[in-house]
């Protein structure tokens, strides 16, 4: 400020000596005096004049943003001195040059006092300025009143800003407390209750008759007591008579396979027996999850790569958690793989037979199974008789007589707004079990032809790429961005033959032909895979055309598409390619990183299959696929689907919804697409 005010005086000297106007002198130094030139213009327009020329070290009582008014006054006074309008015009050059040194001594003490007192003593400076009315007259009093108003306005603005910042800070603290204390309403209410869907909740224990401290499957009590002590991390230390040693916790990746028929999906849910609740109970009994964290998934950083729904199986579900290394004191730290294998075997002792832990791996602290997953692969098992023609289905169910045709038409009208799965549930009691068994005997020997396989392959390829799948899910409109998904590949594998089940009387059921389908994508919507399979099967049968499938991707189209049974779908692989590349790229930075291996849970062509992948294939071929075949032989879900698809809804599949009905149907997506079954 002092430097620029000095430049003001020098500019006035230059203008006086060289005989040029002050405005022209200002143009010679525009970069340094542009702000002051604006003050000059302001003073000229407002006709503000100063009673005297302020010295160089003058400090204005106003804030910095308002000092341009006084600076403009300096120019106005300088101009009056140069032009001779002022009474003191004689010797103007001498006055301008000598004023700073003469007046500086008079005002130096006042400026120092104002500077030392700070913001709290601004009013004192105002009183001092008001005590000199005789020197400056009424104009100076007007400036002081205006300065007081500016100070008051500035103070009000600062107060409002301060209040706003305090309110935002308080709201942030409340939000942070809510996120960190799940389920805790008041600190005085006591500890946080466990999740209502976990077996740590007493309601869940009574509902499913589960003893969390007892054996899960016919084990001995003393064995479980040892595990319970190990979960506290002091069993080994107390047995040896040594001091208590805390068991270290590490971030772990968990590879799980399961059959989902007996569970209400994977995600933990209130008053439902879920897969996550069963796995958590097994980890707790094994000692990997402590008693303090049992029932609180956030405390041990639980995450899963995919959320399978009711009835869906998985060959390679990946989860992540922060667990205790229960064999830390028994096995050396250098033998990390042996520790993890021992933990896997221990957990499997406390899990049901339809849930298996296939591998444990150390992962980085920030690893999350859900966010670090790049893509996922699902597999769907299609029985070959799903591709048979309508005439063959009618013949298998003995539907050639006219009376039965009338009954079928009446049932078709009754189930007009239903999907095949809902229609199958309604007609389940009306279908004679003997007729269902006879239809199975007739259709189980059906074999697909090479032409059908080629057409099936081309139909599945139509779904590859980026499309809007709003017609292949529920409760999502065409304008919703989440309906757009990217399918990397969708192709059938070679048909396989599965041997039939041996009956109680010693007879063996005939073998059946199944077509495995594999679809790879970044993520999938509810019912999306099952609806795509249904449309591709109809395309192979010649019921649906390529134009109809292409039209179903249009956002202006709303189409009814049936959903295939959930029993044939299971999660096949979870990919973590970017995570593995990051580990390989930055492995040298962390030295020996053998305790954090890459997640090699996917087969690589031309390389030896890892042990974990061999376990995945064994569980898939020995557990999942035979279970799907046996479940179909016992319940006949695919046969009921074929009956509803070819008889009840043959004229209503892929029918477009009228534009007039869109406004009414948009309120209820279930009415648009029909209530579909759960994946």
């Amino acid at each position: 400020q002092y430097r620029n005010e000095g430049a003001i005086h020098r500019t006035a000297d230059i203008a006086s000596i060289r005989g040029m106007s002050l405005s022209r002198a200002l143009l010679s130094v525009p970069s340094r005096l542009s702000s002051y030139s604006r003050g000059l213009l302001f003073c000229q327009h407002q006709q503000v004049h100063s009673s005297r020329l302020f010295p160089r070290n003058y400090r204005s009582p106003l804030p910095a943003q308002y000092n341009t008014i006084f600076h403009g006054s300096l120019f106005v006074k300088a101009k009056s001195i140069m032009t001779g309008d002022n009474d003191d015009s004689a010797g103007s050059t001498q006055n301008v040059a000598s004023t700073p040194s003469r007046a500086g001594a008079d005002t130096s003490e006042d400026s120092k006092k104002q500077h030392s007192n700070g913001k709290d003593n601004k009013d004192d400076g105002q009183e001092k300025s008001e005590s000199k009315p005789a020197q400056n007259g009424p104009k100076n009093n007007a400036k002081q009143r205006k300065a007081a108003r500016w100070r008051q306005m500035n103070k009000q603005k600062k107060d409002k800003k301060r209040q706003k910042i305090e309110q935002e800070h308080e709201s942030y603290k409340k939000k942070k407390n809510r996120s960190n204390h799940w389920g805790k309403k008041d600190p005085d209410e006591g500890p946080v209750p466990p999740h209502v869907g976990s077996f740590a909740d007493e309601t869940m224990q009574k509902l499913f008759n589960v003893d969390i401290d007892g054996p899960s499957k016919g084990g001995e009590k003393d064995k479980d007591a040892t595990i319970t002590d190990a979960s506290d991390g002091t069993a080994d230390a107390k047995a040896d008579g040594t001091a208590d040693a805390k068991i270290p916790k590490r971030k772990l990746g968990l590879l799980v396979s399961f059959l989902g028929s007996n569970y209400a999906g994977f995600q933990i849910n209130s008053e439902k027996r879920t897969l996550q609740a069963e796995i958590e109970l097994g980890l707790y009994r094994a000692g990997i999850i402590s008693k303090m964290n049992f029932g609180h998934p956030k405390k041990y950083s639980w995450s899963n790569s995919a959320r399978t729904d009711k009835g869906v199986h998985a060959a390679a579900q990946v989860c992540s958690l922060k667990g205790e290394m229960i064999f830390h004191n028994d096995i050396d730290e250098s033998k990390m793989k042996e520790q993890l294998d021992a933990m896997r075997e221990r957990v499997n002792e406390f899990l049901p037979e339809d849930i298996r832990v296939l591998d444990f791996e150390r992962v980085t602290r920030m690893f999350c199974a859900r966010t670090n997953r790049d893509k996922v692969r699902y597999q769907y098992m299609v029985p070959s008789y799903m591709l048979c023609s309508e005439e063959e289905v009618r013949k298998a169910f003995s539907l050639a007589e006219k009376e039965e045709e009338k009954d079928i038409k009446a049932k078709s009208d009754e189930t007009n707004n239903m999907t095949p799965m809902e229609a199958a549930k309604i007609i389940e009691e009306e279908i004679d079990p003997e007729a269902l068994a006879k239809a199975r005997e007739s259709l189980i020997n059906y074999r697909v032809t090479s032409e059908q396989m080629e057409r099936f392959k081309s139909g599945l390829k139509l779904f590859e790429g980026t499309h809007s799948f709003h017609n292949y899910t529920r409760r999502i409109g065409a304008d919703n961005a989440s309906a757009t998904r990217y399918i990397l590949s969708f192709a059938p594998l070679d048909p396989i033959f599965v041997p039939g089940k041996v009956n109680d009387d010693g007879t063996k059921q005939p073998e059946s032909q199944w077509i495995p389908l594999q679809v790879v994508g970044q993520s999938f919507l509810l019912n999306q895979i099952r609806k795509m399979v249904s449309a591709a099967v109809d395309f192979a049968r010649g019921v649906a055309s390529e134009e109809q499938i292409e039209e179903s991707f249009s956002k202006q189209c709303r189409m009814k598409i049936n959903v295939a049974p959930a029993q044939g779908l299971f999660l096949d692989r979870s990919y973590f390619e970017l995570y593995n590349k990051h580990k390989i790229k930055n492995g040298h930075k962390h030295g020996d990183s053998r305790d954090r291996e890459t997640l090699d849970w996917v087969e690589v062509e031309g390389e030896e299959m890892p042990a974990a992948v061999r376990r995945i294939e064994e569980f898939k071929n020995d557990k999942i696929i035979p279970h799907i075949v046996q479940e179909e032989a016992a319940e006949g879900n695919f046969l009921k689907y074929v009956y509803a698809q070819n008889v009840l809804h043959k004229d209503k599949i892929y029918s477009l919804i009228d534009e007039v009905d869109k406004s009414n149907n948009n309120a209820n997506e279930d009415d648009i697409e029909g209530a579909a079954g759960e994946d």
Side-chain angles (χ1 to χ4, degrees), residues 55 110 169 251 320 332 344 446 457 476 500 535 541 571 622:
D110 295 340
H169 182 65
K251 195 67 176 290
S320 60
D332 189 73
R344 173 178 58 83
Y446 184 84
K457 184 177 181 180
I476 294 181
R541 292 172 54 239
L571 175 65
D622 299 342

Side-chain angles (χ1 to χ4, degrees), residues 530-574:
R530 293 163 55 190
K531 285 197 172 189
M532 291 192 300
V533 169
S534 178
V537 167
D538 290 341
F539 179 83
R541 292 172 54 239
V543 177
S545 63
E546 182 177 351
E547 291 75 14
Q548 287 176 322
I549 295 179
E550 293 289 349
E551 188 179 7
S552 67
F553 300 143
S554 175
K555 293 186 177 182
Q556 290 74 29
C557 171
R558 296 295 288 170
M559 183 181 292
K560 289 184 178 180
I561 300 176
N562 293 331
V563 55
Q567 284 72 21
L569 181 65
F570 63 90
L571 175 65
D572 192 28
R573 291 291 190 277
S574 296

Side-chain angles (χ1 to χ4, degrees), residues 135-174:
Q135 295 180 359
N136 300 328
K139 292 184 178 180
N140 191 41
N141 293 335
K143 289 182 180 180
Q144 292 177 357
R145 289 194 298 270
K146 189 173 183 180
R149 286 196 299 270
W150 280 113
R151 284 197 299 271
Q152 186 178 2
M153 291 172 60
N154 191 30
K155 184 178 180 181
Q156 292 176 356
K157 289 181 180 180
K158 288 184 177 180
D159 292 341
K160 289 181 180 180
K161 188 175 182 180
R162 189 183 300 107
Q163 292 176 2
K164 185 177 180 181
I165 293 174
E166 292 177 355
Q167 292 175 0
E168 292 178 352
H169 182 65
E170 291 296 330
S171 61
Y172 171 76
K173 288 174 62 178
K174 292 180 180 179

Side-chain angles (χ1 to χ4, degrees), residues 312 376-380 460 463 469 472-473 487 490 517-521 523-536 562-565 568-571 679:
V312 180
V376 63
R377 185 174 77 193
Y378 279 89
Q379 183 165 320
Y380 193 93
L460 293 172
F463 295 97
F469 291 96
Y472 294 84
T473 186
I487 307 299
F490 200 0
L517 308 179
Q518 288 187 349
V519 54
V520 182
S523 59
F524 297 94
L525 299 168
L526 177 66
N527 296 340
Q528 179 185 349
I529 297 176
R530 293 163 55 190
K531 285 197 172 189
M532 291 192 300
V533 169
S534 178
N562 293 331
V563 55
L569 181 65
F570 63 90
L571 175 65
D679 269 348

